[in-house]
Amino acid sequence: MKLLPKFLTSAALAVGLAMPAFAQDPFKVGFIYVGTPGDYGWTYEHDQARLAVEATYGDAVETVYLESVPEGADAERSITQMILGGADMIFTTSFGYGEATNAVAARFPDVYFEHATGYMREHANVSTYNARFYEGRAVLGHIAGQMTESNIIGYIGSYPIPEVIQGINSAFLHARAVNPDVEFRVVWAYTWFDPAIEADAAQALIDAGADVIMQHTDSTAPQTVAQEAGIISFGQASDMIQFAPRPRVASIIDNWAPYYIRRVGEAMNGTWTQSDIWEGMPEGMVVIGELTEAIPAEVRASAQEMIDALKAGTYHPFTGPINKQDGSPWLAAGEVADDGTLLGMNFYVEGITGDIPN
Amino acid sequence: MIVDPVTLMVALITVATPVLLAAIGELVVEKAGVLNLGVEGMMIMGAVCGFVVAHHSGSAAVGFAAGMAGGAALAMLFAVLTQLLMANQVASGLALTLFGLGLAALIGVGYGGRDLPAVYRPFPEVWHDIAVIGPIVFSHSALVYVALLLVVAVWLVLTRTRIGLVLRAVGENHDAAHALGYKVVRIRIAAILFGGACAGLGGAFLSVVRVQNWLEGMTAGAGWIALALVVFAAWKPWRVLLGAWLFGGIAALQLRLQAAEVGVPVALLDASPYLITIIVLVIISSDRSRAALNAPAMLGRIFHTSG
């Protein structure tokens, strides 16, 4: 039942997108959003990058977007509609659009496709791009581990997929490194965007004793709950600076703009080639937002050191020795995790007490 | 204790309130023989109007009134379509949801993240610290108590008053009610407006009290749960309350079980409100006499004065 209104809404929006072509025929770039730019999180940042593309190329480009497109069969129809409306390039900005993106790409070989956080590149005109969010999570874990007093950190997960599990593991390892008593409690919301459920999940974690909330969902609802409870939280996907200096003491910002500008430029001048990039803090795709005064000065200083090391590429958040949750060794001392393992990460590291749901 | 029952009860009551408000309104609408599937749209209109007005006026109460007005305004559109223009109720209701979602998004542009006035909690702060009953009974915002009073009021009016009798008569047999001289269309319009105001109030609770922010699409299906709840409750006000707490309880409990690291099949728990509704539907429709007692006989039927 929940799907129906979304389905029809996006259908209605898609009709409105079929605009007449302009005389000089600008390069048309379409964006498929899983939420709304008004989420002040994930989709907001993609929309900021879209606006940056417009600002960079001016009249040479035209952008369109469709918001709240459900992941699944409906996405395929929405993308197709956008191309029939004249789009020359499509950014699909959520993991769940993978199959739809590739299915449409097969039918429109002259259109460029960019799929965020995906891995499927079945056709030469499909590229994937992703950010190493786990690098930012390391910094947040480092701060959280030192600021918690109850030693319980609450973590709101969206879906148990590798990208989210990387974040949990990275945050946990760096919280444990500075606080051997710290424990994580993970609640899966099974949604990227549902403010009410995200708020309830935050409250459930606080009721379970958490005094730090980390989130891997898209809305600011957990920030509001954290504020009311007088605990701390971290901005996710976007800066969420409106909640600074407390509860939001730092944030992970997804900075897609440089990549979008680069790729649109390449597509326009014909140098675009298929690629699969996974960039992080060194390239500036993942940025840590302002560390506020609410963080003790010495913690802020050590966090800044970690940020500098990550940016310089001299430190990898998954550097051994690290054991898996069941105690079996994963990385030997000094060994660094390879990307293949990270991209398929389906296990917790040693010390996390919960289980990953199937 | 794996899950603290006191905080669970507090969360359950908060989670249940928006759905409870919307469902008790829809119950009155359906009792009058009208099926309005636009609850989701009316809720989100209430959410955006409540938030915007609360932000500008600096008063949560004024925001709630605006939320009711927003929901009722959308309901008025439905009333005109279905009662005066005799449009199909199912199609009009679905259209109302789509229209409401779009219009609310338009109204709410730029309002996300704006500040809100504090909500009024009627009981003194010291009462909140009383063991067990303090948090459960006294810690809520005023609207939670209003919602409970509304359930009592709807039950009293429907079963104990002449107005309730007339409303039910219209819902059970509009031709007979018309023959007796009751204004079927006017009574139904009044019921639809009441339902819209309740749904709007539920939406305003969501944006002003529970999430304290305006986010597009923030009702995320709550209106559909409210519709399921009315069926689940077999059109009885008390059972709407029970059902809202049950549905809210499941939602609040599953998150707490996860936080306590108890392995629970989350998907099954999330689906359980809908599963229970289907089971209840099967049970009430398995016995013709019982079904006839519960569902209003004229539900969704169009009334023509010539008929």
Side-chain angles (χ1 to χ4, degrees):
Chain A
M1 263 188 166
K2 260 169 102 168
L3 272 177
L4 185 66
K6 281 190 178 171
F7 175 86
L8 293 171
T9 317
S10 49
L13 278 169
V15 172
L17 277 166
M19 283 182 272
F22 285 84
Q24 74 269 35
D25 199 22
F27 189 78
K28 194 163 178 176
V29 188
F31 294 80
I32 302 284
Y33 297 152
V34 70
T36 72
D39 68 357
Y40 293 95
W42 176 260
T43 299
Y44 174 79
E45 284 303 319
H46 286 284
D47 200 55
Q48 290 297 306
R50 177 185 69 83
L51 294 171
V53 168
E54 280 195 341
T56 305
Y57 297 110
D59 290 341
V61 298
E62 182 192 342
T63 66
V64 288
Y65 65 89
L66 264 180
E67 56 189 44
S68 301
V69 177
E71 299 179 324
D74 194 41
E76 193 172 324
R77 202 186 41 73
S78 300
I79 300 166
T80 307
Q81 196 74 37
M82 209 170 234
I83 294 167
L84 294 176
D88 303 298
M89 186 174 193
I90 300 280
F91 286 84
T92 51
T93 65
S94 188
F95 175 77
Y97 296 140
E99 287 179 16
T101 305
N102 280 280
V104 181
R107 283 189 279 132
F108 297 96
D110 298 332
V111 176
Y112 304 99
F113 291 86
E114 295 275 351
H115 177 218
T117 70
Y119 60 92
M120 279 184 277
R121 292 173 301 281
E122 292 165 7
H123 308 284
N125 56 336
V126 182
S127 284
T128 51
Y129 59 101
N130 200 355
R132 296 180 188 266
F133 306 112
Y134 66 85
E135 294 181 347
R137 295 277 170 200
V139 180
L140 305 196
H142 177 81
I143 297 169
Q146 292 171 89
M147 287 189 74
T148 177
E149 280 164 20
S150 67
N151 288 328
I152 297 175
I153 292 170
Y155 203 111
I156 305 168
S158 48
Y159 297 93
I161 58 173
E163 177 193 324
V164 180
I165 294 167
Q166 288 158 20
I168 295 170
N169 282 333
S170 176
F172 177 78
L173 285 171
H174 293 84
R176 255 299 156 87
V178 291
N179 179 350
D181 297 322
V182 82
E183 285 179 37
F184 268 38
R185 296 276 183 275
V186 182
V187 166
W188 299 98
Y190 289 95
T191 175
W192 288 109
F193 177 78
D194 184 333
I197 289 178
E198 292 172 54
D200 295 342
Q203 189 60 52
L205 288 164
I206 292 165
D207 290 345
D211 66 350
V212 177
I213 295 287
M214 301 179 89
Q215 64 175 97
H216 202 137
T217 51
D218 297 352
S219 92
T220 55
Q223 309 284 328
T224 307
V225 176
Q227 190 159 37
E228 206 160 75
I231 64 166
I232 68 160
S233 59
F234 298 93
Q236 158 65 12
S238 183
D239 202 8
M240 302 190 178
I241 195 74
Q242 63 270 38
F243 292 96
R246 279 181 79 103
R248 173 229 169 271
V249 296
S251 63
I252 297 183
I253 304 168
D254 310 342
N255 182 24
W256 305 109
Y259 180 73
Y260 285 13
I261 291 168
R262 188 173 86 223
R263 296 299 277 177
V264 170
E266 288 170 3
M268 282 162 72
N269 64 26
T271 56
W272 189 97
T273 50
Q274 182 179 53
S275 67
D276 169 34
I277 66 118
W278 198 18
E279 296 180 349
M281 290 173 66
E283 300 88 353
M285 192 174 262
V286 176
V287 177
I288 299 293
E290 184 204 342
L291 309 177
T292 71
E293 300 289 322
I295 306 173
E298 67 276 13
V299 178
R300 232 181 309 149
S302 60
Q304 190 57 49
E305 273 173 37
M306 188 184 276
I307 293 171
D308 295 340
L310 285 162
K311 270 189 183 166
T314 54
Y315 174 62
H316 193 293
F318 292 110
T319 304
I322 302 174
N323 289 343
K324 293 187 181 180
Q325 188 178 30
D326 58 12
S328 62
W330 173 35
L331 296 174
E335 193 186 349
V336 168
D338 63 285
D339 284 357
T341 310
L342 290 179
L343 287 168
M345 192 172 242
N346 59 356
F347 59 88
Y348 280 150
V349 295
E350 192 172 44
I352 298 181
T353 44
D355 296 313
I356 299 173
N358 295 322
Chain B
M1 191 74 66
I2 298 169
V3 172
D4 175 27
V6 174
T7 53
L8 174 67
M9 279 299 292
V10 175
L12 170 165
I13 292 168
T14 313
V15 171
T17 297
V19 180
L20 175 62
L21 281 164
I24 201 73
E26 178 67 12
L27 180 136
V28 171
V29 178
E30 294 192 10
K31 271 289 182 189
V34 178
L35 181 65
N36 184 355
L37 295 180
V39 180
E40 178 87 0
M42 300 188 298
M43 278 187 92
I44 194 106
M45 274 298 285
V48 71
C49 293
F51 186 88
V52 169
V53 172
H55 168 73
H56 285 298
S57 69
S59 158
V62 177
F64 293 141
M68 290 171 74
L74 205 61
M76 189 68 217
L77 189 65
F78 177 82
V80 170
L81 285 173
T82 60
Q83 301 307 306
L84 302 181
L85 302 176
M86 312 278 179
N88 177 289
Q89 293 181 5
V90 172
S92 304
L94 287 172
L96 201 68
T97 287
L98 299 179
F99 179 62
L101 286 167
L103 186 62
L106 187 68
I107 295 172
V109 169
Y111 279 98
R114 298 283 190 91
D115 56 330
L116 276 178
V119 292
Y120 175 62
R121 295 176 196 277
F123 295 104
E125 198 74 32
V126 286
W127 291 22
H128 301 183
D129 300 329
I130 303 170
V132 185
I133 61 162
I136 294 176
V137 181
F138 298 122
S139 72
H140 300 284
S141 63
L143 205 49
V144 168
Y145 306 103
V146 170
L148 293 175
L149 290 175
L150 200 62
V151 174
V152 178
V154 166
W155 171 72
L156 276 175
V157 169
L158 281 179
T159 58
R160 298 283 187 275
T161 68
R162 186 177 172 78
I163 301 169
L165 195 62
V166 172
L167 185 98
R168 283 188 290 139
V170 167
E172 293 300 341
N173 190 333
H174 48 218
D175 293 323
H178 177 67
L180 286 169
Y182 295 117
K183 308 287 187 193
V184 173
V185 170
R186 269 187 227 173
I187 289 164
R188 284 187 172 164
I189 289 176
I192 292 167
L193 291 181
F194 176 79
C198 287
L201 192 58
F205 180 86
L206 200 63
S207 62
V208 178
V209 181
R210 190 158 149 221
V211 178
Q212 296 182 19
N213 200 349
W214 161 250
L215 296 152
E216 263 182 68
M218 68 186 299
T219 46
W224 299 108
I225 293 183
L227 277 163
L229 198 55
V230 177
V231 178
F232 168 82
W235 294 270
K236 290 188 189 336
W238 291 110
R239 287 204 211 159
V240 167
L241 178 64
L242 193 75
W245 282 0
L246 183 68
F247 288 15
I250 290 168
L253 181 65
Q254 68 97 346
L255 293 169
R256 280 165 176 72
L257 287 175
Q258 285 197 59
E261 297 183 343
V262 178
V264 282
V266 174
L268 190 68
L269 276 175
D270 273 351
S272 56
Y274 298 101
L275 291 176
I276 295 169
T277 302
I278 293 169
I279 293 166
V280 169
L281 263 177
V282 170
I283 292 170
I284 62 174
S285 54
S286 65
D287 182 342
R288 279 186 67 88
S289 60
R290 222 187 308 166
L293 278 176
N294 289 322
M298 297 292 117
L299 189 60
R301 300 245 199 109
I302 294 172
F303 170 67
H304 296 274
T305 38
S306 56

